[in-house]
Amino acid sequence: MNTSVGLVTTEYVTFDTELRLESGRVLGPITLAYETYGQLNAERSNAILVCHAWTGDAHAAGRHHPDDRKPGWWDGMIGPGKVIDTDRYFVICSNTIGSCKGSTGPTSINPRTEKPYRLSFPVLMVRDMVRAQQLLLDHLGIDTLVTVIGGSMGAMQAVEWGIHYSERVRSIIPIAGTARTSPMSIALNSVARQAIFNDPLWKKGNYRTEHPPTDGLALARAIGHIAFLSDTSMHLKFGRRYSARDGLFDFFGQFEVERYLEYNGHNFPQHFDTNSFLYLAKALDLYDTAWNFESLQEAFSYLQCPSLWFAFTSDWLYPPYQTEEAVEVLRSLGKHVEYHLIDSDYGHDSFLVEPEKFTHLISHFIDRQA
């Protein structure tokens, strides 16, 4: 059986409108990059929205070219006969506004100045990202979604969909998420920001495209990688192995874990914009389900659909107790909520590394909503 969606193409749509943001500012026109997989049924009732994490994009499944080294970031989950079965569902994944992967963000041209927005781009909240996604659903002629599913920042989007647009969502599946970003997570992002700000090439966001602040962004990304992993996964992957190419008493010699962080850090700036990284980090820091509500209880009182939540035992970026805080509020309100704590050693990245540990639960849940 062919379990791939095959070759896919990223599509783009521009909305000649101004979106009022949570900050009070307006943004427009707005371009969204998106991909779709599967076929929309005659009733237009079989759509699923997949939301990406921090530095993700719309390319969730399949390949753009036959010789692509890797498929889309959630290819193991999306396709014929897979958990998100494209033989049954019409799957949509859009790049969030604020990103640099095709949707309107700091690298986009500001129509008022005809120059890139850079730091004149407005500060975003996750709620604004979801508001923009609504434009895409309207464009596609889709009134309701079977479910909205995503991990990390994608989980935040799923929650916002369920609370603010309950008439359009039949269920949500937040994975490795939180109801509000913790001080520790904000602190980690703060250190990452300072790494970028202290790079002389950043120039307060006015860096030249051909000379970005590579060192600062590489260090910021390395900090993120540490947060995505766990103590156990680092032991499993690297242990205390010292690089074979370095002498043990070479002052600049490195452990394998150091080489990993250096490699991934310096590879990242080749395909992601620094200002976009900063804006999305700010959106993560600002995330609070209770924003503009009196409490979490009031916010979750607006969630009318069933929800399926996952947390992972070794996740220290958004540890289980943060997911459980949201789940307990929902239970106290008598909402239809399911929660599973998955035993995994791979930290926050568990939802990407070991999906087989929880995908059967997702399949059963989606089947009940369809």
Side-chain angles (χ1 to χ4, degrees):
M1 180 179 65
N2 182 12
T3 59
S4 172
V5 298
L7 296 181
V8 299
T9 301
T10 303
E11 300 181 70
Y12 304 86
V13 58
T14 298
F15 302 98
D16 190 16
T17 185
E18 288 192 330
L19 199 67
R20 182 161 294 278
L21 307 175
E22 291 297 312
S23 66
R25 293 183 62 184
V26 293
L27 179 65
I30 291 172
T31 296
L32 289 180
Y34 69 99
E35 292 186 6
T36 64
Y37 322 106
Q39 297 295 320
L40 192 61
N41 63 17
E43 297 79 18
R44 312 185 85 78
S45 62
N46 67 331
I48 289 176
L49 180 65
V50 172
C51 300
H52 67 74
W54 185 356
T55 57
D57 56 27
H59 185 40
R63 283 176 162 80
H64 289 150
H65 306 285
D67 56 351
D68 281 353
R69 188 169 61 89
K70 290 183 177 180
W73 58 269
W74 230 10
D75 189 75
M77 292 277 286
I78 302 168
K82 295 183 182 179
V83 181
I84 303 175
D85 188 352
T86 53
D87 285 337
R88 299 177 60 191
Y89 302 110
F90 180 65
V91 183
I92 310 154
C93 183
S94 75
N95 185 223
T96 64
I97 55 172
S99 182
C100 57
K101 295 293 187 176
S103 295
T104 299
T107 61
S108 302
I109 299 299
N110 183 341
R112 293 167 181 79
T113 64
E114 298 185 352
K115 296 178 180 179
Y117 279 102
R118 301 187 187 276
L119 295 196
S120 70
F121 195 75
V123 170
L124 298 173
M125 297 187 75
V126 173
R127 199 168 295 174
D128 298 319
M129 300 174 186
V130 170
R131 192 171 285 121
Q133 289 166 351
Q134 273 219 115
L135 297 174
L136 177 60
L137 256 64
D138 292 342
H139 169 72
L140 295 173
I142 297 170
D143 293 328
T144 62
L145 295 162
V146 175
T147 198
V148 182
I149 181 173
S152 194
M153 190 179 82
M156 298 174 184
Q157 295 169 65
V159 172
E160 292 294 296
W161 266 104
I163 290 174
H164 296 277
Y165 306 106
S166 58
E167 73 283 359
R168 303 193 76 160
V169 180
R170 303 211 293 273
S171 66
I172 61 170
I173 307 176
I175 305 172
T178 178
R180 46 194 167 195
T181 306
S182 71
M184 188 196 74
S185 296
I186 295 170
L188 288 168
N189 282 346
S190 176
V191 176
R193 268 190 288 276
Q194 290 304 316
I196 292 170
F197 295 165
N198 289 332
D199 188 321
L201 292 179
W202 185 62
K203 299 179 180 179
K204 296 185 177 180
N206 293 309
Y207 49 87
R208 295 168 61 183
T209 305
E210 63 271 25
H211 296 298
T214 301
D215 290 344
L217 182 56
L219 180 54
R221 184 60 171 178
I223 293 166
H225 267 294
I226 295 170
F228 302 154
L229 300 174
S230 71
D231 181 57
T232 302
S233 68
M234 286 192 183
H235 273 287
L236 292 170
K237 190 177 182 71
F238 309 108
R240 285 183 44 83
R241 294 190 303 277
Y242 207 73
S243 174
R245 71 186 72 178
D246 298 334
L248 185 63
F249 297 105
D250 178 353
F251 183 77
F252 293 101
Q254 294 180 310
F255 287 90
E256 288 294 346
V257 66
E258 293 178 280
R259 285 204 173 278
Y260 168 81
L261 293 174
E262 185 179 82
Y263 171 79
N264 280 280
H266 281 280
N267 182 54
F268 183 68
Q270 297 177 29
H271 59 86
F272 210 88
D273 173 66
T274 306
N275 286 339
S276 293
F277 180 89
L278 290 167
Y279 270 89
L280 294 176
K282 190 71 173 179
L284 289 170
D285 289 348
L286 291 173
Y287 183 67
D288 184 351
T289 307
W291 167 257
N292 275 345
F293 293 102
E294 291 296 324
S295 63
L296 277 180
Q297 285 76 10
E298 184 192 1
F300 278 123
S301 71
Y302 288 88
L303 183 67
Q304 302 301 320
C305 65
S307 57
L308 173 64
W309 300 69
F310 292 96
F312 300 88
T313 53
S314 59
D315 186 349
W316 65 280
L317 181 61
Y318 300 148
Y321 80 86
Q322 293 181 14
T323 301
E324 289 161 6
E325 177 188 25
V327 169
E328 287 307 311
V329 170
L330 288 167
R331 285 174 174 164
S332 72
L333 294 169
K335 302 294 184 179
H336 182 164
V337 55
E338 297 179 36
Y339 168 63
H340 298 276
L341 178 59
I342 306 300
D343 186 19
S344 176
D345 292 329
Y346 290 95
H348 188 62
D349 273 350
S350 295
F351 77 95
L352 295 170
V353 179
E354 293 189 312
E356 67 278 1
K357 287 192 171 183
F358 60 91
T359 48
H360 62 288
L361 299 166
I362 293 176
S363 296
H364 295 153
F365 180 80
I366 293 177
D367 285 346
R368 294 197 298 273
Q369 317 311 321

